[in-house]
Amino acid sequence: LQPNNTNVSNGNDVQVGAARNDRSVQAAGVPISSSNDSDEGEGSNVREIVVEGSGVSEVNGTYKKTMDNHGNSCFTRKGRWNNNRTDFVIYHKSNYWYIRSCGGISSTGNILYPIMTFFRTITRSDGSELPPGNGWMASGRGISPAPKLTW
């Protein structure tokens, strides 16, 4: 078990500074706090998520709920990466939540051509439709520190 703010190498992923003193969810066997415990079970009512503190400044900002992705909330925002327009997306797939850039969102709600992963975290164990507020890991093009999410 690593103390707070210690980077833990795991292949290409680096876990960074998760708060561990609130009611928690499990991420890789380590309790990771949700920054929004009062909103648990309220995922369908959440319309925006604010991402801040990321080592990749382009990822920071307000994401709006755009659709449900396989029963989980999905949030997007328009932005720029390497001087090109992109859609940043927070979504769930196969036991993980991701923050990625993509080629857009189709009219049927499908994420088009995931281009680049920046951060990921394991799915919350409390059954919430929302990603955890913290406990994110840099992945792919992600740079520490990892972001915190609030809603």
Side-chain angles (χ1 to χ4, degrees):
L1 186 62
Q2 297 293 322
N4 282 348
N5 298 320
T6 299
N7 294 341
V8 180
S9 179
N10 180 11
N12 292 330
D13 299 328
V14 177
Q15 182 172 351
V16 293
R20 296 186 173 106
N21 55 4
D22 297 328
R23 193 167 43 178
S24 63
V25 297
Q26 291 294 317
V30 178
I32 304 297
S33 142
S34 165
S35 64
N36 302 295
D37 289 334
S38 64
D39 288 323
E40 287 179 14
E42 300 290 325
S44 61
N45 295 328
V46 173
R47 299 287 174 230
E48 292 183 346
I49 290 179
V50 176
V51 174
E52 53 193 354
S54 164
V56 181
S57 62
E58 293 87 348
V59 168
N60 296 330
T62 301
Y63 290 68
K64 298 193 182 293
K65 186 173 184 179
T66 54
M67 78 224 132
D68 288 331
N69 183 34
H70 304 287
N72 292 288
S73 300
C74 183
F75 298 84
T76 61
R77 69 178 278 277
K78 302 273 185 208
R80 295 189 76 75
W81 176 253
N82 288 338
N83 294 319
N84 294 308
R85 283 184 274 169
T86 192
D87 287 311
F88 290 101
V89 62
I90 301 169
Y91 74 101
H92 178 264
K93 181 179 179 185
S94 302
N95 296 326
Y96 286 93
W97 280 91
Y98 293 93
I99 300 176
R100 290 179 163 162
S101 65
C102 67
I105 308 297
S106 75
S107 60
T108 59
N110 292 320
I111 297 168
L112 303 175
Y113 308 107
I115 298 169
M116 206 168 301
T117 300
F118 295 99
F119 298 96
R120 73 177 188 158
T121 190
I122 198 154
T123 303
R124 290 170 55 156
S125 63
D126 63 4
S128 175
E129 299 175 27
L130 297 171
N134 44 33
W136 290 82
M137 299 178 290
S139 182
R141 295 284 181 120
I143 299 170
S144 297
K148 293 190 184 210
L149 282 60
T150 56
W151 51 88

